[in-house]
Amino acid sequence: MIWVIAALLLIAAPAIADDPVFAARAAAAVQSHLEAERFSGAVLVAVDGKAIFRQGFGFADRAQRIPNTPETRFRTGSI
């Protein structure tokens, strides 16, 4: 099983900013990946540089059950 920890930055269309149910739809879109244990991280959706959706999903530390938040710092690197 592979655990994916990622931070996503999505640049959304301006029409989304006026959609009152966008946050619920965005969270629902991530939920299926979270339940299948294919995603754990934070999602940010911005329109014209303004965040319209920010939410953490899953755990930053599964052993201690520390949840991800929009402020979670992710260790990234490459070899």
Side-chain angles (χ1 to χ4, degrees):
M1 182 178 313
I2 297 173
W3 299 101
V4 177
I5 298 176
L8 301 177
L9 173 62
L10 303 174
I11 306 302
I16 293 173
D18 298 327
D19 186 345
V21 295
F22 177 75
R25 290 183 13 226
V30 176
Q31 193 64 35
S32 65
H33 296 286
L34 183 65
E35 290 170 1
E37 298 181 345
R38 293 183 298 206
F39 178 78
S40 180
V43 175
L44 167 67
V45 178
V47 174
D48 295 327
K50 180 181 174 196
I52 61 169
F53 178 74
R54 300 172 67 233
Q55 187 172 335
F57 295 90
F59 293 104
D61 185 324
R62 290 182 190 280
Q64 296 184 33
R65 302 195 54 83
I66 299 170
N68 278 316
T69 70
E71 289 77 27
T72 298
R73 292 182 180 220
F74 297 95
R75 299 176 110 189
T76 60
S78 63
I79 297 176

